[in-house]
Amino acid sequence: PSLGTQKSVLVLKSESKKYVVGDRLLLHVKKWGEEEEPVLCEVLEKIGSIEDANTDTLFAIKDFKIRNTFPKSVIQAAESVPKKVRKKDLEDRTDLTHLEAFTIDPDTAKDFDDALSLSIDEQGNYSLGIHIADVSHYVTQGSINDEEAKKRYNSTYFPGCCIPMLPEALSNELCSLRPNVIRLTVSVLVTLNPDGTILKSEIVKGFIKSRKRFTYKEAKDVLDKKIKSPYLSALELMKKLCLILKGHRNERGSVDLALPELSLQIDKKGNPYDYTINEYDITHQLVEEYMLKANEIVAKHFTDKKLPALFRVHESPDKENLEEFFLFL
């Protein structure tokens, strides 16, 4: 039918099961019918009641066709990986365990993909490290876990739960930069002068031992001197360099949309009982600034080597959106 046309839906009765108003049903269309005719459907599955908040997530999983269970073979492949980093895994890798690296993530994060380290020398030059968990060491191209990950594209976060791209034996363990354990990384190491200009950079396969798992709130409380931490000076240094780099970006015409994020608090039954407003504060900004710097360096590496690479480019806004924007201004 044409866009916006409404049609009635007739659901075939089941002999064995009864449904009531408010039941959330997954239907199979048996016959679409002509424009004036109703759609004829049969029930595939009852997801639950619309009164039960816990069914919202289940409904979204079905609606968006999200793969929320792993095939047994994929789980077995993930669980067959050794539980700890082995000595042979460290061969031909750069030892970066001397760096004071730590992670900063949301309260609800289940895995820690990236860590940061920063120091300054007597000349005022910065040594910045952006360390990304080296998933490729464990999920090799064409492997069963790789093929399953391709079907998921990414992890999906719902209020109160996460559907991971990789089985938890990998995503929450060996591919997560947990504190006080050795983890494999691909690290971008950058030296910048006091003005924030890059003097040199390199991309290395290394291994780190994260010193601390910070939440954004905890890192902000340390910077605000609300709580004591041995990492205060490191966080203050990160804030200082962040503001320098942000200044350079602003000069290049970059725009920051610092919008607060709303997080729902969910109980064990899936019912929302409260919410928090997460402000886009300096801790979020410094993580983003250093991730952007790593992305820039990796992108430059690809283009310098004339290697094929994927870039996300935002298309130009359409005429109608521009007119609305200028009217707003």
Coordinates of all heavy atoms in Angstrom, one line a residue, residues 154-241:
N154 N 27.9 -5.0 16.0 CA 28.3 -4.3 17.2 C 27.6 -4.9 18.4 O 26.7 -5.7 18.3 CB 27.9 -2.8 17.2 CG 26.5 -2.6 16.7 OD1 26.2 -2.2 15.6 ND2 25.5 -2.8 17.6
S155 N 28.0 -4.5 19.6 CA 27.3 -4.9 20.8 C 26.1 -3.9 20.9 O 26.1 -2.8 20.5 CB 28.1 -4.7 22.1 OG 29.2 -5.6 22.0
T156 N 25.0 -4.4 21.5 CA 23.8 -3.6 21.6 C 23.4 -3.4 23.1 O 23.3 -4.4 23.8 CB 22.6 -4.3 20.9 OG1 22.9 -4.5 19.6 CG2 21.3 -3.4 20.9
Y157 N 23.4 -2.2 23.5 CA 23.1 -1.9 25.0 C 21.6 -1.5 25.1 O 21.1 -0.6 24.4 CB 23.9 -0.7 25.5 CG 25.3 -1.2 25.8 CD1 26.3 -1.3 24.8 CD2 25.7 -1.5 27.1 CE1 27.6 -1.7 25.1 CE2 27.0 -1.9 27.4 CZ 27.9 -2.0 26.5 OH 29.2 -2.4 26.8
F158 N 20.9 -2.2 26.0 CA 19.6 -1.8 26.5 C 19.7 -1.4 27.9 O 20.6 -1.7 28.6 CB 18.6 -3.1 26.4 CG 18.3 -3.5 25.0 CD1 18.9 -4.6 24.4 CD2 17.3 -2.8 24.2 CE1 18.6 -4.9 23.1 CE2 17.0 -3.1 22.9 CZ 17.6 -4.2 22.4
P159 N 18.7 -0.7 28.4 CA 18.7 -0.3 29.9 C 18.7 -1.6 30.7 O 17.9 -2.5 30.5 CB 17.4 0.4 30.1 CG 17.0 1.0 28.7 CD 17.5 0.0 27.7
G160 N 19.8 -1.8 31.5 CA 19.9 -3.0 32.3 C 20.6 -4.2 31.8 O 20.8 -5.1 32.5
C161 N 20.8 -4.2 30.4 CA 21.5 -5.4 29.9 C 22.2 -5.0 28.6 O 22.0 -4.0 28.0 CB 20.5 -6.5 29.6 SG 19.4 -6.3 28.2
C162 N 23.1 -5.9 28.2 CA 23.9 -5.8 27.0 C 23.9 -7.1 26.2 O 24.1 -8.1 26.8 CB 25.3 -5.4 27.3 SG 26.5 -5.4 25.9
I163 N 23.7 -6.9 24.9 CA 23.9 -8.1 24.0 C 25.2 -7.9 23.3 O 25.3 -7.1 22.4 CB 22.7 -8.2 23.0 CG1 21.4 -8.4 23.7 CG2 22.9 -9.3 22.0 CD1 20.2 -8.3 22.9
P164 N 26.2 -8.7 23.7 CA 27.6 -8.5 23.2 C 27.8 -9.0 21.7 O 27.0 -9.9 21.3 CB 28.4 -9.3 24.1 CG 27.6 -10.4 24.6 CD 26.2 -9.8 24.6
M165 N 28.7 -8.4 21.1 CA 29.1 -8.8 19.7 C 29.9 -10.1 19.8 O 29.8 -11.0 18.9 CB 29.9 -7.8 19.0 CG 30.2 -8.1 17.5 SD 31.0 -6.7 16.7 CE 32.6 -6.6 17.5
L166 N 30.6 -10.3 20.8 CA 31.4 -11.5 21.0 C 31.0 -12.2 22.3 O 30.5 -11.6 23.2 CB 32.9 -11.2 21.2 CG 33.6 -10.5 20.0 CD1 35.0 -10.0 20.4 CD2 33.7 -11.5 18.8
P167 N 31.1 -13.6 22.4 CA 30.8 -14.3 23.6 C 31.5 -13.7 24.8 O 32.7 -13.2 24.7 CB 31.2 -15.7 23.3 CG 31.2 -15.8 21.9 CD 31.6 -14.5 21.3
E168 N 30.9 -13.7 26.0 CA 31.5 -13.1 27.2 C 32.9 -13.6 27.6 O 33.7 -12.9 28.2 CB 30.5 -13.2 28.4 CG 29.3 -12.3 28.2 CD 28.5 -12.2 29.4 OE1 28.8 -12.8 30.5 OE2 27.4 -11.5 29.4
A169 N 33.2 -14.9 27.2 CA 34.5 -15.4 27.5 C 35.6 -14.6 26.8 O 36.7 -14.6 27.3 CB 34.6 -16.9 27.0
L170 N 35.2 -13.9 25.7 CA 36.2 -13.0 25.1 C 35.9 -11.5 25.4 O 36.8 -10.8 25.9 CB 36.1 -13.1 23.5 CG 36.6 -14.4 22.9 CD1 36.3 -14.5 21.4 CD2 38.1 -14.6 23.2
S171 N 34.7 -11.1 25.3 CA 34.3 -9.7 25.4 C 34.6 -9.1 26.8 O 35.0 -8.0 27.0 CB 32.9 -9.4 24.9 OG 32.0 -10.0 25.7
N172 N 34.3 -10.0 27.8 CA 34.4 -9.5 29.2 C 35.7 -9.9 29.8 O 36.0 -9.6 31.0 CB 33.3 -10.0 30.1 CG 32.0 -9.3 29.8 OD1 31.9 -8.6 28.8 ND2 31.0 -9.5 30.6
E173 N 36.5 -10.8 29.1 CA 37.7 -11.3 29.7 C 39.0 -10.9 28.9 O 39.5 -9.8 29.1 CB 37.6 -12.8 29.8 CG 36.5 -13.3 30.8 CD 36.8 -12.9 32.2 OE1 37.9 -12.6 32.6 OE2 35.8 -12.7 33.0
L174 N 39.4 -11.7 28.0 CA 40.7 -11.5 27.3 C 40.7 -10.2 26.4 O 41.7 -9.6 26.2 CB 41.1 -12.7 26.5 CG 41.7 -13.8 27.3 CD1 41.8 -15.1 26.4 CD2 43.0 -13.5 27.9
C175 N 39.5 -9.8 25.9 CA 39.4 -8.6 25.1 C 39.0 -7.4 25.9 O 38.5 -6.4 25.3 CB 38.5 -8.9 23.9 SG 39.0 -10.2 22.8
S176 N 39.1 -7.5 27.2 CA 38.7 -6.4 28.1 C 39.9 -6.0 28.9 O 40.5 -6.8 29.5 CB 37.5 -6.8 29.0 OG 37.1 -5.7 29.8
L177 N 40.2 -4.7 28.9 CA 41.4 -4.2 29.5 C 41.1 -4.0 31.0 O 41.1 -2.9 31.6 CB 41.8 -2.8 28.9 CG 42.1 -2.9 27.4 CD1 42.5 -1.5 26.9 CD2 43.1 -3.9 27.0
R178 N 41.0 -5.1 31.7 CA 40.7 -5.1 33.1 C 41.9 -4.7 33.9 O 43.1 -4.9 33.4 CB 40.3 -6.5 33.6 CG 38.9 -7.0 33.1 CD 38.8 -8.5 33.3 NE 37.4 -8.8 33.1 CZ 36.5 -9.0 34.1 NH1 36.9 -8.8 35.3 NH2 35.2 -9.3 33.9
P179 N 41.7 -4.1 35.1 CA 42.9 -3.6 35.9 C 43.7 -4.8 36.4 O 43.2 -5.9 36.7 CB 42.3 -2.8 37.0 CG 40.8 -3.2 37.1 CD 40.5 -3.7 35.7
N180 N 45.0 -4.6 36.6 CA 46.0 -5.5 37.2 C 46.2 -6.8 36.6 O 46.7 -7.7 37.2 CB 45.5 -5.7 38.7 CG 45.4 -4.4 39.5 OD1 46.2 -3.5 39.4 ND2 44.3 -4.2 40.2
V181 N 45.8 -6.9 35.3 CA 46.2 -8.1 34.5 C 46.7 -7.7 33.2 O 46.4 -6.6 32.6 CB 44.9 -9.0 34.3 CG1 44.5 -9.7 35.5 CG2 43.8 -8.2 33.7
I182 N 47.6 -8.5 32.6 CA 48.2 -8.2 31.3 C 47.2 -8.4 30.2 O 46.5 -9.4 30.2 CB 49.5 -9.0 31.1 CG1 50.6 -8.5 32.0 CG2 49.9 -9.0 29.6 CD1 51.9 -9.3 31.9
R183 N 47.1 -7.5 29.3 CA 46.2 -7.6 28.2 C 46.9 -7.1 26.9 O 47.7 -6.2 26.9 CB 44.9 -6.7 28.4 CG 44.0 -7.3 29.4 CD 43.3 -8.6 28.9 NE 42.3 -9.1 29.9 CZ 42.6 -10.1 30.7 NH1 43.8 -10.7 30.7 NH2 41.6 -10.6 31.5
L184 N 46.6 -7.7 25.8 CA 47.2 -7.4 24.5 C 46.5 -6.2 23.9 O 45.2 -6.0 24.0 CB 47.0 -8.6 23.5 CG 47.5 -9.9 24.0 CD1 47.4 -11.0 22.9 CD2 49.0 -9.8 24.6
T185 N 47.2 -5.3 23.3 CA 46.7 -4.1 22.7 C 47.3 -3.7 21.3 O 48.3 -4.2 21.0 CB 47.0 -2.8 23.6 OG1 48.4 -2.6 23.7 CG2 46.4 -3.0 25.0
V186 N 46.6 -2.9 20.6 CA 47.2 -2.2 19.5 C 47.2 -0.7 20.1 O 46.2 -0.2 20.4 CB 46.3 -2.2 18.2 CG1 46.9 -1.3 17.1 CG2 46.2 -3.7 17.7
S187 N 48.4 -0.2 20.2 CA 48.6 1.1 20.9 C 49.1 2.2 19.9 O 50.0 1.9 19.1 CB 49.6 0.9 22.0 OG 49.0 0.1 23.0
V188 N 48.5 3.3 20.0 CA 49.0 4.5 19.3 C 49.8 5.3 20.3 O 49.3 5.8 21.3 CB 47.8 5.3 18.7 CG1 48.3 6.6 18.0 CG2 47.0 4.5 17.8
L189 N 51.1 5.5 20.0 CA 52.0 6.2 20.9 C 52.4 7.5 20.2 O 52.9 7.5 19.1 CB 53.2 5.4 21.2 CG 53.0 4.0 21.8 CD1 54.3 3.2 21.9 CD2 52.2 4.0 23.1
V190 N 52.1 8.6 20.9 CA 52.3 10.0 20.3 C 53.1 10.8 21.2 O 52.9 10.9 22.4 CB 50.9 10.7 20.1 CG1 51.0 11.8 19.1 CG2 49.8 9.7 19.8
T191 N 54.1 11.6 20.6 CA 54.8 12.6 21.3 C 54.4 13.9 20.8 O 54.4 14.2 19.6 CB 56.3 12.4 21.1 OG1 56.7 11.1 21.5 CG2 57.1 13.5 21.9
L192 N 53.9 14.8 21.7 CA 53.5 16.2 21.3 C 54.3 17.2 22.0 O 54.7 17.0 23.2 CB 52.0 16.3 21.6 CG 51.0 15.3 21.1 CD1 50.7 14.3 22.2 CD2 49.7 15.9 20.6
N193 N 54.5 18.4 21.4 CA 55.2 19.4 22.1 C 54.3 20.2 23.0 O 53.1 19.9 23.0 CB 55.9 20.4 21.1 CG 54.9 21.2 20.3 OD1 53.7 21.3 20.6 ND2 55.4 22.0 19.3
P194 N 54.8 21.2 23.8 CA 53.9 21.8 24.8 C 52.7 22.5 24.1 O 51.7 22.7 24.8 CB 54.8 22.9 25.4 CG 56.2 22.3 25.3 CD 56.2 21.6 24.0
D195 N 52.8 22.8 22.8 CA 51.6 23.5 22.1 C 50.6 22.4 21.6 O 49.6 22.8 21.1 CB 52.1 24.3 21.0 CG 53.0 25.5 21.4 OD1 52.7 26.0 22.5 OD2 53.9 25.9 20.7
G196 N 50.9 21.1 21.8 CA 50.0 20.1 21.3 C 50.2 19.7 19.9 O 49.4 19.0 19.3
T197 N 51.4 20.1 19.3 CA 51.7 19.7 17.9 C 52.4 18.3 18.0 O 53.3 18.1 18.8 CB 52.6 20.7 17.3 OG1 52.0 22.0 17.3 CG2 53.0 20.4 15.8
I198 N 52.0 17.4 17.1 CA 52.6 16.1 17.0 C 54.1 16.2 16.6 O 54.3 16.7 15.5 CB 51.8 15.1 16.1 CG1 50.4 14.9 16.8 CG2 52.5 13.8 15.9 CD1 49.5 14.0 15.9
L199 N 55.0 15.7 17.4 CA 56.4 15.6 17.0 C 56.7 14.2 16.3 O 57.4 14.1 15.3 CB 57.3 15.7 18.2 CG 57.2 17.1 18.9 CD1 58.1 17.1 20.2 CD2 57.5 18.2 18.0
K200 N 56.1 13.2 16.8 CA 56.2 11.8 16.2 C 55.1 10.9 16.7 O 54.5 11.2 17.8 CB 57.6 11.2 16.5 CG 57.8 10.9 18.0 CD 59.2 10.2 18.1 CE 59.4 9.9 19.6 NZ 60.7 9.1 19.8
S201 N 54.8 9.9 16.0 CA 53.8 8.9 16.4 C 54.1 7.6 15.8 O 54.8 7.5 14.8 CB 52.4 9.4 15.9 OG 52.3 9.4 14.5
E202 N 53.6 6.5 16.5 CA 53.8 5.2 16.0 C 52.6 4.3 16.4 O 52.0 4.6 17.5 CB 55.1 4.5 16.4 CG 55.3 4.4 17.9 CD 56.7 3.8 18.2 OE1 57.1 2.9 17.5 OE2 57.2 4.1 19.3
I203 N 52.4 3.3 15.6 CA 51.3 2.3 16.0 C 52.0 1.0 16.3 O 52.7 0.5 15.4 CB 50.3 2.2 14.8 CG1 49.7 3.5 14.5 CG2 49.2 1.2 15.2 CD1 49.0 3.6 13.1
V204 N 51.8 0.4 17.5 CA 52.5 -0.8 17.8 C 51.5 -1.8 18.4 O 50.5 -1.5 18.9 CB 53.6 -0.5 18.9 CG1 54.6 0.5 18.4 CG2 53.0 -0.1 20.2
K205 N 51.9 -3.1 18.2 CA 51.2 -4.2 18.9 C 52.0 -4.3 20.2 O 53.2 -4.6 20.2 CB 51.3 -5.4 18.0 CG 50.4 -5.4 16.8 CD 49.9 -6.8 16.4 CE 48.7 -6.7 15.5 NZ 48.0 -8.0 15.3
G206 N 51.2 -4.2 21.3 CA 51.9 -4.2 22.6 C 51.1 -5.0 23.6 O 50.1 -5.7 23.3
F207 N 51.5 -4.8 24.9 CA 50.7 -5.3 26.0 C 50.8 -4.4 27.2 O 51.9 -3.8 27.4 CB 51.0 -6.7 26.3 CG 52.5 -7.0 26.7 CD1 52.9 -7.0 28.0 CD2 53.4 -7.2 25.7 CE1 54.2 -7.3 28.3 CE2 54.7 -7.5 26.0 CZ 55.2 -7.5 27.3
I208 N 49.7 -4.2 27.9 CA 49.7 -3.3 29.0 C 49.2 -4.0 30.3 O 48.7 -5.1 30.2 CB 48.8 -2.0 28.7 CG1 47.3 -2.4 28.7 CG2 49.2 -1.3 27.5 CD1 46.3 -1.3 28.7
K209 N 49.3 -3.3 31.4 CA 48.6 -3.7 32.6 C 47.9 -2.5 33.2 O 48.6 -1.6 33.8 CB 49.6 -4.3 33.6 CG 48.9 -4.9 34.9 CD 49.9 -5.4 35.9 CE 50.4 -6.8 35.6 NZ 51.1 -7.4 36.8
S210 N 46.6 -2.4 33.0 CA 45.9 -1.3 33.4 C 46.0 -1.1 34.9 O 45.9 -2.1 35.6 CB 44.4 -1.4 33.0 OG 43.6 -0.4 33.6
R211 N 46.1 0.1 35.4 CA 46.3 0.3 36.9 C 44.9 0.5 37.6 O 44.8 0.2 38.8 CB 47.2 1.5 37.1 CG 48.5 1.5 36.4 CD 49.5 0.5 37.0 NE 50.7 0.4 36.1 CZ 51.7 1.2 36.3 NH1 51.8 2.1 37.2 NH2 52.8 1.0 35.5
K212 N 43.9 0.9 36.8 CA 42.7 1.4 37.5 C 41.6 1.4 36.5 O 41.7 1.7 35.3 CB 42.9 2.7 38.1 CG 41.7 3.5 38.6 CD 41.2 3.0 39.9 CE 40.0 3.8 40.4 NZ 39.4 3.1 41.6
R213 N 40.4 1.0 36.9 CA 39.1 1.1 36.1 C 38.3 2.3 36.7 O 37.7 2.2 37.8 CB 38.3 -0.2 36.2 CG 37.0 -0.2 35.4 CD 35.9 0.4 36.2 NE 34.5 -0.1 35.8 CZ 33.6 0.6 35.2 NH1 33.9 1.8 34.7 NH2 32.4 0.1 34.9
F214 N 38.4 3.4 36.0 CA 37.6 4.6 36.4 C 36.2 4.6 35.8 O 36.1 4.2 34.6 CB 38.3 5.9 36.0 CG 39.3 6.4 37.0 CD1 40.7 6.3 36.7 CD2 39.0 6.9 38.2 CE1 41.7 6.8 37.6 CE2 39.9 7.4 39.1 CZ 41.3 7.3 38.8
T215 N 35.2 5.0 36.5 CA 34.0 5.5 35.9 C 34.2 6.9 35.6 O 35.0 7.6 36.2 CB 32.8 5.2 36.7 OG1 32.9 6.1 37.9 CG2 32.6 3.8 37.2
Y216 N 33.3 7.5 34.7 CA 33.4 8.9 34.4 C 33.2 9.7 35.6 O 33.9 10.7 35.9 CB 32.4 9.3 33.3 CG 32.7 8.9 31.9 CD1 32.0 8.0 31.2 CD2 33.9 9.4 31.3 CE1 32.3 7.6 29.9 CE2 34.2 9.1 30.0 CZ 33.4 8.2 29.3 OH 33.8 7.8 28.0
K217 N 32.2 9.3 36.4 CA 31.8 10.0 37.7 C 33.0 10.0 38.6 O 33.3 11.1 39.2 CB 30.6 9.4 38.3 CG 30.1 10.2 39.5 CD 28.9 9.6 40.2 CE 28.4 10.4 41.3 NZ 29.4 10.7 42.3
E218 N 33.6 8.9 38.8 CA 34.7 8.8 39.7 C 35.9 9.6 39.3 O 36.5 10.3 40.1 CB 35.2 7.3 39.9 CG 36.2 7.0 41.0 CD 36.6 5.6 41.0 OE1 36.2 4.8 40.2 OE2 37.4 5.3 41.9
A219 N 36.2 9.6 38.0 CA 37.3 10.4 37.5 C 37.0 11.9 37.7 O 37.9 12.7 38.0 CB 37.6 10.1 36.0
K220 N 35.8 12.3 37.5 CA 35.4 13.7 37.7 C 35.5 14.1 39.1 O 36.0 15.2 39.5 CB 33.9 13.9 37.2 CG 33.4 15.3 37.3 CD 34.0 16.2 36.3 CE 33.3 17.6 36.2 NZ 33.1 18.3 37.3
D221 N 35.1 13.2 40.0 CA 35.2 13.5 41.5 C 36.7 13.6 41.9 O 37.0 14.4 42.8 CB 34.5 12.3 42.3 CG 33.0 12.4 42.3 OD1 32.5 13.5 41.8 OD2 32.4 11.4 42.6
V222 N 37.6 12.9 41.3 CA 39.0 13.0 41.6 C 39.5 14.4 41.1 O 40.2 15.1 41.9 CB 39.8 11.9 40.9 CG1 41.3 12.2 41.0 CG2 39.5 10.5 41.5
L223 N 39.1 14.8 39.9 CA 39.5 16.1 39.4 C 39.0 17.2 40.2 O 39.6 18.3 40.4 CB 39.1 16.2 37.9 CG 39.9 15.5 36.9 CD1 39.2 15.5 35.5 CD2 41.3 16.2 36.8
D224 N 37.8 17.0 40.7 CA 37.1 18.1 41.6 C 37.6 18.0 43.0 O 37.0 18.7 43.9 CB 35.6 17.9 41.5 CG 35.0 18.2 40.1 OD1 35.7 18.9 39.4 OD2 33.9 17.9 39.9
K225 N 38.5 17.1 43.3 CA 39.1 16.9 44.7 C 38.1 16.5 45.7 O 38.2 16.7 46.9 CB 39.7 18.2 45.2 CG 40.7 18.9 44.2 CD 42.1 18.3 44.2 CE 43.2 19.1 43.5 NZ 42.9 20.2 42.7
K226 N 37.0 15.8 45.2 CA 36.0 15.3 46.1 C 36.5 14.0 46.7 O 36.1 13.6 47.8 CB 34.7 15.1 45.4 CG 34.0 16.3 45.0 CD 32.6 16.0 44.3 CE 31.9 17.3 43.9 NZ 30.7 17.0 43.2
I227 N 37.3 13.2 46.0 CA 37.9 12.0 46.5 C 39.4 12.0 46.2 O 39.8 12.6 45.2 CB 37.2 10.7 45.9 CG1 37.3 10.7 44.4 CG2 35.8 10.6 46.4 CD1 36.8 9.4 43.8
K228 N 40.2 11.3 47.0 CA 41.6 11.3 46.8 C 42.0 10.1 45.9 O 41.3 9.1 46.0 CB 42.3 11.1 48.2 CG 42.3 12.4 49.0 CD 43.0 12.2 50.3 CE 43.0 13.5 51.2 NZ 43.8 13.3 52.4
S229 N 43.0 10.3 45.1 CA 43.5 9.3 44.2 C 44.9 9.5 43.9 O 45.3 10.6 43.6 CB 42.6 9.2 42.9 OG 43.2 8.4 42.0
P230 N 45.7 8.4 43.7 CA 47.1 8.5 43.3 C 47.2 8.9 41.8 O 48.3 9.3 41.4 CB 47.7 7.1 43.5 CG 46.5 6.2 43.5 CD 45.4 7.0 44.1
Y231 N 46.1 8.9 41.1 CA 46.1 9.3 39.7 C 45.6 10.7 39.4 O 45.3 11.0 38.3 CB 45.2 8.3 38.9 CG 45.6 6.8 39.2 CD1 44.9 6.0 40.0 CD2 46.8 6.3 38.7 CE1 45.3 4.7 40.3 CE2 47.3 5.0 39.0 CZ 46.5 4.2 39.8 OH 46.9 3.0 40.0
L232 N 45.5 11.5 40.5 CA 45.1 12.9 40.3 C 46.0 13.7 39.3 O 45.5 14.3 38.4 CB 45.0 13.6 41.7 CG 44.8 15.1 41.6 CD1 43.4 15.4 41.0 CD2 44.9 15.8 43.0
S233 N 47.3 13.6 39.5 CA 48.2 14.3 38.7 C 48.1 13.9 37.2 O 48.1 14.7 36.3 CB 49.6 14.2 39.1 OG 50.0 12.8 39.2
A234 N 47.9 12.5 37.0 CA 47.7 12.0 35.6 C 46.4 12.5 35.0 O 46.4 13.0 33.8 CB 47.7 10.5 35.6
L235 N 45.4 12.6 35.8 CA 44.1 13.1 35.2 C 44.2 14.6 35.0 O 43.6 15.1 33.9 CB 42.9 12.8 36.2 CG 42.4 11.3 36.3 CD1 41.6 11.1 37.5 CD2 41.7 11.0 35.0
E236 N 44.8 15.3 35.8 CA 45.0 16.8 35.6 C 45.8 17.0 34.4 O 45.5 18.0 33.6 CB 45.6 17.4 36.8 CG 44.7 17.5 38.0 CD 45.3 18.2 39.2 OE1 46.5 18.1 39.4 OE2 44.6 18.8 40.0
L237 N 46.8 16.2 34.1 CA 47.7 16.3 32.9 C 46.8 16.0 31.7 O 46.9 16.7 30.7 CB 48.9 15.4 33.0 CG 50.0 15.7 32.0 CD1 50.6 17.1 32.3 CD2 51.1 14.6 32.2
M238 N 46.0 15.0 31.8 CA 45.1 14.6 30.7 C 44.1 15.7 30.3 O 43.8 16.0 29.2 CB 44.4 13.3 31.0 CG 45.2 12.1 30.9 SD 44.2 10.6 31.1 CE 45.5 9.4 31.0
K239 N 43.6 16.4 31.4 CA 42.7 17.5 31.2 C 43.4 18.7 30.5 O 42.9 19.3 29.6 CB 42.1 18.0 32.6 CG 41.2 19.2 32.5 CD 40.7 19.6 33.9 CE 39.9 20.9 33.8 NZ 39.5 21.3 35.2
K240 N 44.6 19.0 30.9 CA 45.4 20.1 30.4 C 45.6 19.9 28.9 O 45.4 20.8 28.0 CB 46.7 20.2 31.1 CG 47.6 21.4 30.6 CD 48.9 21.4 31.4 CE 49.8 22.6 30.9 NZ 51.1 22.6 31.6
L241 N 46.1 18.7 28.5 CA 46.4 18.4 27.1 C 45.1 18.3 26.3 O 45.1 18.8 25.1 CB 47.2 17.1 26.9 CG 47.5 16.7 25.5 CD1 48.3 17.7 24.8 CD2 48.2 15.3 25.5

